[in-house]
Amino acid sequence: MAFKLASSPHLNTSAQTKSVMLKVMLCAVPGVLAQCYFFGWGAIIQLMLAIAVAMAAEAAVLTSRKRQVWPTLSDNSAALTGLLIGVAVPALAPWWITTIGAIFAIVVVKHLYGGLGNNIFNPAMSAYVMLLISFPLQMTTWVAPTGAALNDVSLLSSLQIIFQGASSQEILAYRAGFDGVSMATPLDAIKTSLSTGLTIDEALTLPSFSDGFGVGWAWINVAYLLGGLMMLKLKVIRWHISIGILGSLFVCAGVGYLLSPDTHTGPLLHLFSGATMLAAFFIATDPVTAATSPRGRLIFGALIGVLVYVIRSFGGYPDAFAFAVLLANLCAPFIDYYVKPRAYGHRSSH
Amino acid sequence: MLTLFEQIDKGTLWKIPGGIHPPECKTLSSHSAIARLAPADHYIIPVPQAGDAYSLTVDVGQNVLKGQALTHGEGFRYLPVHTPVSGKVIAIEERPSNHASGLPVLSCVIENDKQDTLVSSIHPRLDPSDVVKMDNEAILSRIQQAGIAGLGGAAFPTHIKLKPVSEIELLIINGVECEPFITSDDRLMQEHCDEIVSGITIIHQLLSPKRIVIAIEDNKPQASEQMRHALNRSTLPSDLAKVTVIPTLYPSGGEKQLIQILTGQEVPSGSIPAQLGILVQNVGTAYAIDQAVYCNMPLIERVVTLTGSHVGQAGNYWLPIGTPIDDLLGKTQYLGNDDDPLIIGGPMMGYMLPNRHAPVLKGTNCVLMPTQQEIAPERKEQPCIRCGECAVACPAQLLPQQLFWHAKAQEYDKAAGYNLRDCIECGCCSYVCPSDIPLVEYYRVAKSALKVEAEEKKQAELAKQRFDSRTLRLEEEKRAREEKAKQAANKRKAAMSNNDKDAVAEAMARIKAKKAATQTENVSDAPQDKVAAAIARAKAKKQTKTVEQTENSVPTQQEKVAAAVARAKAKKLAQSIAPVKEPATETPDPREEKVAAAIARAKAKKAQQTATNEEPGLTTQQEKVAAAIARAKAKKAAKAKESRNSDACDAAAPVLDAQPETISADEAKKAKIAAAVAKAKAKKRAQAQSADADSANAETSHTSALTAHCATDGSSADISLTPAQQKQAKIAAAVAKAKAKKLAQQSLTNQEHAPTEASIGPDSAPEDGVTLADAKSQKSATSEADEAQIASPAEIKKAKIAAAVAKAKAKKLTQESMLTNDQNKD
Amino acid sequence: MIEIFIAIGLLSVLALVFGALLGFAAEKFKVEGDPIVEQAEALLPQTQCGQCGYPGCRPYAEAIANGEKINKCPPGGTATMEKLAQLMGVDPEPLTATAETQIKKVAYIREDECIGCTKCIQACPVDAILGTGKQMHTVITDYCTGCDLCVEPCPVDCIDMLPVGQTVQNWNWKLNAIPVINLSEDAKC
């Protein structure tokens, strides 16, 4: 036979893994730009570094696994993982933080589990959690958003700080935009305030909340929301997970706020601070580690939302998406097993 | 809450889950009217189940008329096959099938005489009033005899569908045609709407459903318009039948999906729509029913869409069923190459045709000849990223990614747990897959594996049942036997008390016989060569016989014992000799064997009178000539045979008496079996023997005298054994095979040690190859050597004649020898 | 000091109680028969061929339950072996038979050579051979398990074990069963 016999169907959509991944990355552009705007050049440097390291690591592992390098590398999944790590680490974190994170994500989380499609945990979030636990100081030292920072960081000094290291004074200086509180993110600020006995309303009067949501963070979230909506429009992702997360987070936060407005932040603050939008649209929607059926995905998303709220409100970490996503990843096979759609012609759903 | 019928009347449509919108590409072929192509020279009609479900009614070379049934069968499931043209059956053989596998199936090949002479049973169109008068049986039988199978693609016999066990309330006529590219139903509805509606009327007459819905996708406005008009013109009540236009979505033309769209009901998994009181028929089938009932016209042609950018004249054609695909290509200006794919059916569910000589079948609705741009390029499968698009697209609401996961890991039972069998193989999942995974292929492999597994399980269950029942039966038989034996023993006991003397005598006789036998055997062991053994054995037999005779008190029993002993011994001997013989049976080809046989036979004839005259030297030469003529190629082998023949004289008798099986061995069969094994060895040995032959010849006069003596002696044993002939021959052959090699070598050494006698031993083996022809006459064949001249011309024909003559003689001879045997015994 | 003895005593009493409970449960809920044998037998292909060294499938199933190796069933092939491994909780082992013997075969009698000896009929464990003395025999293919047992007794060697051919009906949808080798791609690797 001169030609290879192919099984039906003989038609296919143009959608391919690489284009899907590429679209996801493009849709992240608004959010990345917003981060750049608020955190300076450091964000984009971290992004580039993470992508480069992730792809290099992918190539290295593929070679050692005796796989074809280019076809797999060109599916853009490693680049996307790198991108997510890049936006997750603090803008002025030392270079080795990003490097370790990207290598860990690709080598340990992805390839040790069998490569693309076989990993149980979200690589980017696993790497983030690993970094957060191993290097808590560097990982929580966020530079002050430009809007609040007194001294802007130039490209050159960003590079210098990231690659040559910076004295703690310098960093302190950079983020000393507001009364020397050594907390970086608004959620952190609130947590600290609460622990010192302040109410939410009092905490929100802090300088970092000068615009009501935490300087810059709300805009970054809006930018990611925009990107997420673009993805929905392009049908790169389905709505179930994102809506599940946002919905359950909103409901939980709303209930908490109604019960005790003094000790619980409002739902809007939850939705537009921290990594909410980034995680809801770009991280939790990673199909490999999520549940697969529409109903299962809704449950998966809702689970993440609840976990985020619980950890944010009662846990020790200011933001909780990485942990919530990983915990939900653990539950995904379980959800899939119990949430099977009723197949055609089957009356009882079991 | 409206009833279902009210909702149908209202035109309510339900939504099916999943589905896709592939590019339709229907305009390629939908604009031109249905045309006809010039007839092909040959038509191929597959009859895969011939001999199984039905029998063929035609033979190769028989003339057939257009529309004539090629098969005959009984039973309700039987579906006849007809010839699409008049002409001649030129072959009934395996031809490549129109199937994804392309495996060959039994097919009738009809040569078209281009006369198109119709078979007489086809008649002009009846009046509708005649059809109304027909009873259901008559209509169903017409549909069955027309060989109508579902024209939508599945090709399920229509008459079975039209005789449902439960009542049909809703008849759906499927004119959806949701596959891209295909327009055959569209054109048929536009051009033959009245016939389709009359076919529907016939179904209505048969089943009297409460509603009839003709479902057509909204991308075929002309077709639905035409069908509406035809409905208005028809005799069907207007409140009963309607045309429903449904939105375009693949795969809404699937039977289950169409039912869901029109009624909101789902066909329960594993059952058929009839359970819901619904029957779905394709428009093409309705047309065929009309033709069958009104004209008694069998299903011998159908509308096929030939489309794709590789076909110059895309469009719809009336194609006789059986038209070879490659014939179509030539007549429709095929633009592609030989290695461009052809797809039978649409691009979503069709399969690539592995062999273009395959014919058009009843279910072939489209032949797609696409360019590389029209179908998906061959892409490498990438890892599944579990994006879930497939689950969204799946109209059966399965989880394709889970199915894939298990199918790939070959965990088929787990895949079955995810309802693999509900997969309709529509291809939506593969269509949307961003990782280019051929999901449907995985499912098909998994499905067939599951089928095989189920089959094996059933088989194992059956085997166990049969095994158990057999064990039971054997046990019962054993018990019965024991019971019987016990009874017999009791009876005998009762009888024995009177004449136990007999028994004692019997026992004594047996002992004596044994003793005698062993004695003689001991004697014969010493020389260790076959001839001597044979002689000794023959003598032993004689002795036993004399023993018997002395024991006159129980003559008949004694005789039997002796015979049995002799037989047992002969068997033993046969086994030990056979190996020696084996190498000789190498006779390279049956022709040569025949020649040799004829020679031997001729020799035997004369030998009856002149048993003493022999010219061994001459024989060998003569033989050489004969063999050379017969087979100039195998000179060496021929030499082997000569030596064989030269020794034939001496060896014949021993061989004969030891082994009556040589009598039957003239069957080429045996030679065939042994030939391969022995050939190599025999050649080698033949050379050694030819050297020995001369010296052997010197001795032959002596030995022949000896053997002649033996022969007479042995005749008794030999005849007694004849009943066992065939079987033993074969046993010997089988046993010999294994030992042949070893023995051939032994005999070689034997030869060297005892040139005179040993040479006879191994050469006696060749004997059965040659004299096997009529070993019956071998008793006298001991001294026939000179007769070889007679046969030396060695033409095959002559040899055959001689063989026939000899056979007759041989028969006579056996009878004679039997007589002598009897006399001996006496 | 006394506490230690109290502890020891208490634990001993507990051990006794639970031991008695266990013993009682073992007696009370004793499983009749050995279901593992049934399960193992259900997995075996029931060819009754004896290639495992046991006179039939049930004896082998019993032997497996008693710790016999699971890889001795050539007709079952690797699939059966794996299922047995799972059932018995042992590691799968490669089959003792070669791949060749794992192809499903059925016996076929060359009928013109058959001498009607009935030996094969006696050998057939599933009564799949039809015939009687001096009459030609034939194999009922549907019943034949391909156990090979009839081949040996045949005095004229007229029984062949023929592999079951692939037909359109039992085709396994393995398109491109002959792998297409892309030379250029191989060269790259």
Side-chain angles (χ1 to χ4, degrees):
Chain A
M1 197 48 52
F3 57 93
K4 190 172 183 288
L5 290 174
S7 178
S8 70
H10 307 287
L11 294 178
N12 200 319
T13 48
S14 55
Q16 283 201 285
T17 307
K18 62 172 131 187
S19 62
V20 170
M21 299 280 180
L22 196 65
K23 280 180 193 161
V24 174
M25 286 198 279
L26 289 178
C27 290
V29 166
V32 171
L33 288 180
Q35 266 186 309
C36 273
Y37 176 76
F38 287 106
F39 297 117
W41 291 104
I44 202 111
I45 294 167
Q46 299 289 4
L47 196 78
M48 294 297 173
L49 180 65
I51 292 177
V53 171
M55 292 187 65
E58 174 104 338
V61 177
L62 286 171
T63 313
S64 68
R65 287 180 74 194
K66 296 189 172 57
R67 301 284 173 94
Q68 286 179 308
V69 175
W70 182 242
T72 313
L73 203 60
S74 65
D75 68 17
N76 294 329
S77 62
L80 182 59
T81 302
L83 184 140
L84 293 178
I85 292 171
V87 298
V89 295
L92 289 182
W95 62 273
W96 47 267
I97 290 274
T98 315
T99 308
I100 290 174
I103 291 177
F104 180 81
I106 297 296
V107 177
V108 177
V109 186
K110 189 173 165 191
H111 277 288
L112 288 191
Y113 281 90
L116 180 64
N118 295 308
N119 46 313
I120 304 168
F121 296 109
N122 188 317
M125 285 304 100
S126 307
Y128 180 80
V129 166
M130 186 275 287
L131 292 173
L132 189 62
I133 293 171
S134 309
F135 313 105
L137 178 66
Q138 285 87 346
M139 286 302 286
T140 49
T141 312
W142 282 85
V143 71
T146 321
L150 297 175
N151 30 5
D152 206 349
V153 191
S154 70
L155 172 62
L156 202 68
S157 51
S158 302
L159 282 170
Q160 218 172 4
I161 291 168
I162 292 170
F163 287 102
Q164 292 181 344
S167 68
S168 52
Q169 275 95 7
E170 266 178 287
I171 292 192
L172 279 176
Y174 284 127
R175 59 156 190 252
F178 35 90
D179 73 55
V181 177
S182 61
M183 292 296 148
T185 67
L187 287 168
D188 249 350
I190 290 170
K191 197 155 205 70
T192 319
S193 309
L194 288 174
S195 64
T196 55
L198 296 172
T199 63
I200 295 290
D201 286 337
E202 284 163 344
L204 286 179
T205 59
L206 293 169
S208 56
F209 294 102
S210 57
D211 59 357
F213 280 113
V215 181
W217 286 97
W219 290 111
I220 292 170
N221 271 297
V222 168
Y224 279 121
L225 173 62
L226 197 69
L229 294 177
M230 273 162 64
M231 285 205 291
L232 283 176
K233 179 87 182 104
L234 290 171
K235 293 194 171 159
V236 176
I237 56 167
R238 301 264 167 186
W239 56 269
H240 306 85
I241 294 178
S242 309
I243 297 301
I245 292 173
L246 300 180
S248 72
L249 186 58
F250 186 85
V251 169
C252 289
V255 170
Y257 188 69
L258 286 178
L259 289 177
S260 166
D262 278 353
T263 52
H264 289 87
T265 38
L268 279 180
L269 189 63
H270 267 294
L271 291 187
F272 287 97
S273 61
T276 307
M277 291 300 168
L278 172 69
F281 287 99
F282 291 89
I283 293 172
T285 51
D286 168 32
V288 176
T289 53
T292 48
S293 60
R295 215 148 61 90
R297 288 184 167 177
L298 213 51
I299 295 171
F300 178 82
L303 180 67
I304 293 178
V306 171
L307 284 171
V308 165
Y309 181 75
V310 168
I311 299 175
R312 272 184 182 175
S313 304
F314 309 107
Y317 285 91
D319 206 349
F321 261 102
F323 295 104
V325 167
L326 291 187
L327 285 172
N329 285 164
L330 268 182
C331 299
F334 181 74
I335 295 171
D336 274 343
Y337 186 81
Y338 282 101
V339 188
K340 289 182 202 167
R342 182 186 62 82
Y344 181 100
H346 291 262
R347 277 283 151 223
S348 55
S349 54
H350 57 78
Chain B
M1 192 67 193
L2 297 168
T3 67
L4 179 60
F5 289 133
E6 281 166 352
Q7 287 193 308
I8 288 173
D9 291 342
K10 239 180 83 188
T12 312
L13 294 180
W14 280 261
K15 206 184 162 309
I16 56 166
I20 51 170
H21 291 278
E24 289 176 16
C25 306
K26 295 207 182 221
T27 46
L28 263 174
S29 57
S30 64
H31 291 316
S32 53
I34 306 174
R36 280 182 194 277
L37 292 174
D41 293 333
H42 297 105
Y43 288 88
I44 302 161
I45 321 292
V47 281
Q49 287 174 301
D52 197 7
Y54 49 76
S55 52
L56 280 174
T57 54
V58 291
D59 270 328
V60 176
Q62 190 177 327
N63 286 316
V64 287
L65 299 175
K66 180 176 179 176
Q68 183 181 338
L70 292 173
T71 60
H72 174 76
E74 299 293 331
F76 186 56
R77 300 195 76 86
Y78 161 69
L79 197 67
V81 213
H82 304 84
T83 133
V85 290
S86 60
K88 200 163 94 179
V89 181
I90 53 166
I92 298 174
E93 60 191 17
E94 301 234 304
R95 288 293 181 100
S97 63
N98 184 344
H99 184 264
S101 67
L103 290 168
V105 294
L106 191 68
S107 309
C108 282
V109 185
I110 315 281
E111 189 182 46
N112 190 2
D113 64 5
K114 312 216 169 156
Q115 303 294 315
D116 269 355
T117 325
L118 280 178
V119 78
S120 57
S121 60
I122 300 172
H123 50 70
R125 203 172 166 84
L126 295 174
D127 193 71
S129 60
D130 296 331
V131 174
V132 171
K133 275 181 235 149
M134 277 191 206
D135 63 350
N136 284 359
E137 281 308 311
I139 293 175
L140 276 177
S141 129
R142 279 197 169 211
I143 291 170
Q144 179 175 11
Q145 289 311 317
I148 298 177
L151 296 182
F156 186 79
T158 299
H159 64 274
I160 301 176
K161 259 178 134 178
L162 288 179
K163 206 178 175 185
V165 278
S166 53
E167 201 181 330
I168 296 298
E169 298 195 317
L170 174 63
L171 172 65
I172 297 173
I173 301 298
N174 187 347
V176 176
E177 204 164 51
C178 57
E179 273 252 11
F181 286 99
I182 309 179
T183 55
S184 60
D185 287 351
D186 183 11
R187 288 309 308 187
L188 189 74
M189 284 190 285
Q190 288 184 38
E191 293 175 32
H192 296 278
C193 50
D194 285 316
E195 284 95 330
I196 292 169
V197 170
S198 106
I200 295 169
T201 315
I202 294 166
I203 303 175
H204 178 244
Q205 188 183 337
L206 276 174
L207 301 170
S208 42
K210 296 199 174 82
R211 292 289 186 282
I212 298 172
V213 176
I214 302 168
I216 301 170
E217 257 183 359
D218 58 9
N219 59 3
K220 292 181 264 292
Q222 293 108 318
S224 40
E225 192 65 19
Q226 290 297 330
M227 289 304 290
R228 268 200 198 103
H229 290 319
L231 267 187
N232 290 338
R233 288 193 292 267
S234 77
T235 54
L236 283 170
S238 59
D239 58 339
L240 185 101
K242 62 177 281 191
V243 173
T244 300
V245 174
I246 62 170
T248 300
L249 176 73
Y250 179 85
S252 48
E255 189 176 70
K256 290 175 170 181
Q257 278 63 41
L258 186 56
I259 289 172
Q260 195 176 10
I261 290 172
L262 293 175
T263 69
Q265 293 179 311
E266 291 180 17
V267 182
S269 173
S271 63
I272 54 168
Q275 231 171 30
L276 299 173
I278 299 172
L279 178 73
V280 183
Q281 287 288 4
N282 181 267
V283 285
T285 315
Y287 177 83
I289 290 172
D290 165 77
Q291 294 294 303
V293 175
Y294 276 90
C295 307
N296 213 5
M297 173 66 99
L299 178 58
I300 52 171
E301 60 176 12
R302 66 157 298 149
V303 182
V304 180
T305 307
L306 305 183
T307 185
S309 295
H310 262 162
V311 61
Q313 302 170 347
N316 287 288
Y317 296 90
W318 282 109
L319 290 183
I321 283 151
T323 312
I325 305 281
D326 48 1
D327 180 73
L328 298 178
L329 303 185
K331 287 173 183 157
T332 52
Q333 297 169 2
Y334 181 61
L335 307 169
N337 296 320
D338 281 347
D339 54 356
D340 284 326
L342 285 192
I343 294 168
I344 301 296
M348 292 303 294
M349 290 186 75
Y351 50 86
M352 280 192 185
L353 192 66
N355 193 319
R356 294 183 177 188
H357 302 304
V360 168
L361 301 180
K362 287 174 184 171
T364 310
N365 51 6
C366 176
V367 180
L368 176 58
M369 294 160 248
T371 55
Q372 290 300 335
Q373 287 75 43
E374 280 174 310
I375 54 167
E378 189 191 309
R379 289 198 212 136
K380 223 179 151 205
E381 179 183 330
Q382 288 174 320
C384 169
I385 55 167
R386 299 163 61 82
C387 64
E389 286 304 307
C390 46
V392 175
C394 181
Q397 285 189 287
L398 304 173
L399 287 173
Q401 73 277 33
Q402 296 300 107
L403 289 173
F404 159 69
W405 190 263
H406 294 305
K408 190 172 188 183
Q410 304 197 339
E411 299 166 334
Y412 296 133
D413 40 349
K414 280 190 191 147
Y418 277 92
N419 300 317
L420 177 62
R421 66 179 185 153
D422 291 312
C423 170
I424 56 168
E425 299 177 19
C426 64
C428 289
C429 48
S430 306
Y431 179 78
V432 298
C433 181
S435 294
D436 300 318
I437 303 170
L439 293 160
V440 179
E441 188 177 351
Y442 279 104
Y443 304 153
R444 283 179 175 145
V445 171
K447 274 181 171 179
S448 58
L450 280 171
K451 211 173 107 190
V452 168
E453 206 169 279
E455 196 67 27
E456 270 172 9
K457 203 156 207 176
K458 230 169 76 189
Q459 185 88 18
E461 196 51 45
L462 183 76
K464 190 167 154 46
Q465 270 174 26
R466 293 181 70 82
F467 178 69
D468 289 346
S469 65
R470 179 176 184 270
T471 333
L472 207 74
R473 196 196 70 219
L474 287 183
E475 261 166 27
E476 253 162 36
E477 267 172 18
K478 200 177 160 199
R479 211 177 306 126
R481 223 174 18 244
E482 274 166 5
E483 197 72 14
K484 228 181 195 173
K486 215 183 261 169
Q487 279 175 5
N490 288 342
K491 223 180 256 170
R492 217 181 303 124
K493 226 177 250 167
M496 268 290 256
S497 52
N498 302 340
N499 51 354
D500 46 354
K501 243 187 196 170
D502 282 3
V504 174
E506 199 181 318
M508 271 183 46
R510 212 177 295 138
I511 290 161
K512 266 181 199 161
K514 223 182 239 170
K515 226 185 209 168
T518 45
Q519 268 177 7
T520 50
E521 236 164 37
N522 285 342
V523 175
S524 64
D525 279 348
Q528 276 195 344
D529 85 64
K530 268 68 198 183
V531 175
I535 294 164
R537 222 180 21 69
K539 271 184 193 154
K541 230 165 261 155
K542 224 179 180 182
Q543 266 184 2
T544 48
K545 232 159 265 163
T546 48
V547 172
E548 289 162 33
Q549 274 157 7
T550 51
E551 303 268 332
N552 275 334
S553 51
V554 273
T556 42
Q557 270 188 342
Q558 282 281 334
E559 229 171 70
K560 265 185 205 160
V561 172
V565 171
R567 207 177 301 139
K569 244 180 241 164
K571 234 186 225 172
K572 216 179 185 180
L573 224 115
Q575 281 171 349
S576 59
I577 287 182
V580 192
K581 278 188 351 186
E582 265 331 287
T585 54
E586 96 272 337
T587 51
D589 80 359
R591 201 193 295 167
E592 200 188 9
E593 202 176 283
K594 267 182 202 158
V595 173
I599 294 165
R601 228 174 279 134
K603 281 175 201 162
K605 233 189 258 169
K606 263 218 172 148
Q608 280 179 296
Q609 286 116 20
T610 58
T612 39
N613 293 349
E614 40 179 328
E615 291 151 13
L618 226 173
T619 332
T620 38
Q621 273 183 349
Q622 287 290 349
E623 273 302 295
K624 258 180 207 162
V625 174
I629 292 163
R631 231 175 61 99
K633 288 180 226 161
K635 263 181 197 163
K636 261 186 192 168
K639 255 181 223 165
K641 207 167 263 174
E642 299 147 27
S643 57
R644 207 189 293 157
N645 265 352
S646 69
D647 299 329
C649 23
D650 354 60
V655 169
L656 172 63
D657 89 11
Q659 295 185 294
E661 67 266 26
T662 53
I663 293 160
S664 62
D666 63 344
E667 288 142 32
K669 226 185 275 172
K670 191 182 154 190
K672 256 187 257 161
I673 296 166
V677 181
K679 207 177 278 173
K681 282 275 145 83
K683 243 180 216 169
K684 210 170 164 193
R685 212 196 39 177
Q687 285 170 327
Q689 273 182 6
S690 57
D692 288 328
D694 290 358
S695 62
N697 290 339
E699 302 296 323
T700 34
S701 54
H702 159 70
T703 42
S704 64
L706 234 171
T707 46
H709 162 71
C710 298
T712 43
D713 278 2
S715 61
S716 62
D718 124 41
I719 301 304
S720 72
L721 294 176
T722 40
Q725 2 73 337
Q726 276 210 343
K727 207 199 267 183
Q728 279 190 348
K730 281 173 188 176
I731 296 167
V735 174
K737 216 185 292 164
K739 289 187 186 162
K741 273 184 200 166
K742 210 169 153 194
L743 249 127
Q745 286 168 335
Q746 275 183 5
S747 63
L748 252 175
T749 47
N750 271 359
Q751 269 177 8
E752 277 153 24
H753 286 304
T756 45
E757 296 205 325
S759 66
I760 298 162
D763 292 334
S764 69
E767 211 38 45
D768 77 14
V770 182
T771 59
L772 61 183
D774 51 358
K776 281 168 198 159
S777 59
Q778 269 169 355
K779 187 172 70 170
S780 45
T782 43
S783 53
E784 77 297 56
D786 53 337
E787 305 306 329
Q789 291 136 312
I790 303 164
S792 56
E795 282 126 15
I796 305 150
K797 241 189 217 169
K798 235 183 182 175
K800 269 184 192 160
I801 295 164
V805 173
K807 220 178 271 165
K809 283 253 165 79
K811 244 183 214 165
K812 220 175 175 181
L813 241 134
T814 39
Q815 283 171 341
E816 276 176 18
S817 58
M818 243 147 125
L819 273 175
T820 50
N821 184 25
D822 287 350
Q823 282 162 5
N824 276 354
K825 276 178 188 167
D826 293 340
Chain C
M1 199 59 205
I2 195 95
E3 289 89 349
I4 291 173
F5 289 114
I6 290 173
I8 290 172
L10 211 63
L11 281 175
S12 306
V13 170
L14 273 177
L16 263 175
V17 169
F18 284 119
L21 210 65
L22 271 177
F24 173 75
E27 277 302 308
K28 172 86 181 167
F29 303 111
K30 194 175 174 184
V31 182
E32 288 302 325
D34 197 354
I36 206 96
V37 174
E38 309 290 333
Q39 287 173 38
E41 198 192 0
L43 293 178
L44 292 172
Q46 303 298 334
T47 51
Q48 318 292 349
C49 63
Q51 287 178 65
C52 50
Y54 293 89
C57 290
R58 176 138 195 122
Y60 182 46
E62 280 161 7
I64 287 176
N66 290 326
E68 170 62 289
K69 291 206 171 187
I70 49 158
N71 59 353
K72 293 188 169 177
C73 182
T78 311
T80 299
M81 181 275 297
E82 275 166 2
K83 282 183 199 151
L84 285 172
Q86 204 178 6
L87 175 71
M88 300 305 297
V90 295
D91 288 331
E93 296 168 68
L95 281 193
T96 46
T98 54
E100 189 205 350
T101 57
Q102 288 182 39
I103 301 165
K104 171 140 173 69
K105 292 178 178 171
V106 290
Y108 170 77
I109 295 179
R110 290 196 298 274
E111 288 169 355
D112 53 337
E113 288 175 32
C114 174
I115 53 168
C117 69
T118 74
K119 283 201 166 94
C120 52
I121 295 180
Q122 288 156 31
C124 182
V126 290
D127 282 344
I129 302 180
L130 201 66
T132 183
K134 310 268 182 201
Q135 303 293 315
M136 161 241 353
H137 302 341
T138 195
V139 177
I140 309 167
T141 339
D142 285 351
Y143 293 156
C144 178
T145 61
C147 68
D148 256 11
L149 289 181
C150 54
V151 175
E152 197 51 44
C154 180
V156 291
D157 282 355
C158 73
I159 302 182
D160 295 322
M161 298 304 295
L162 299 180
V164 179
Q166 208 171 46
T167 63
V168 175
Q169 278 78 35
N170 68 9
W171 187 55
N172 60 4
W173 270 102
K174 298 230 165 90
L175 298 164
N176 307 305
I178 303 160
V180 179
I181 297 163
N182 197 333
L183 287 174
S184 60
E185 208 175 313
D186 271 14
K188 252 191 274 172
C189 292

